[in-house]
Amino acid sequence: MESMNLENYPGLAAEILILLSNFRFQATIALLAIAMYHFRHPSKRVCLVDFTCYKAPESFRAPISAFIEHTERSGTFDSKAVEFQTKVLERSGVGNKTCLACGTHLLPADGSLNSSMEELKTVLFSIVQNLFSKHKTKPEKH
């Protein structure tokens, strides 16, 4: 049985290169055509973008001293790491009115998926509700 070698097929390598260069050329032409169509026929839709900020309840507030104490008690970090975190917090502009997620207030901290999902639902649903009420929009079910 003869092994497949490029030497056995003298024009194969050249044909493969020609096919690849043709494919690149065709792909480039297709991308240019799509781009030209996109820029010549812009979307007729107009989107109004607005924003609102989430105002966390006071129970989520975490003063720097409480956060550092919590970090020390967790036993996760050594003293040098706690010192470093303290320096970073003091110099970063984080204030005593900074709010953290519910799971970070617990000992040990709860970083579970359920805790994260509850936080996400709390934040997103309140923000969306604020936007709807701000613009007097009534969402419809479809």
Side-chain angles (χ1 to χ4, degrees):
M1 186 170 180
E2 197 175 308
S3 66
M4 185 168 180
N5 233 340
L6 285 180
E7 295 166 355
N8 297 338
Y9 304 95
L12 183 64
E15 287 184 34
I16 291 173
L17 288 175
I18 290 170
L19 285 174
L20 286 175
S21 64
N22 283 341
F23 176 74
R24 286 185 192 149
F25 178 74
Q26 291 170 353
T28 304
I29 294 298
L31 285 174
L32 285 173
I34 292 170
M36 286 177 57
Y37 178 80
H38 176 70
F39 288 117
R40 288 184 182 237
H41 301 87
S43 174
K44 305 284 189 249
R45 295 181 296 176
V46 175
C47 299
L48 175 65
V49 178
D50 196 0
F51 71 94
T52 186
C53 295
Y54 175 69
K55 177 77 170 140
E58 286 292 318
S59 62
F60 286 18
R61 200 170 61 83
I64 294 174
S65 58
F67 180 77
I68 293 169
E69 181 182 347
H70 184 84
T71 304
E72 289 171 342
R73 285 187 180 184
S74 72
T76 307
F77 304 101
D78 62 1
S79 60
K80 287 190 176 194
V82 173
E83 286 178 27
F84 177 74
Q85 287 182 7
T86 304
K87 287 179 186 176
V88 169
L89 284 172
E90 289 171 349
R91 296 176 184 171
S92 67
V94 174
N96 286 324
K97 292 186 177 183
T98 299
C99 295
L100 297 175
C102 293
T104 58
H105 292 280
L106 303 173
L107 270 175
D110 182 12
S112 69
L113 181 61
N114 287 337
S115 175
S116 300
M117 289 299 290
E118 284 302 315
E119 177 188 1
L120 177 76
K121 288 176 186 176
T122 302
V123 172
L124 286 182
F125 288 145
S126 67
I127 287 173
V128 170
Q129 186 61 41
N130 287 344
L131 279 174
F132 285 152
S133 63
K134 181 178 176 181
H135 293 285
K136 298 179 178 85
T137 303
K138 295 181 181 176
E140 299 176 9
K141 289 185 179 181
H142 292 283

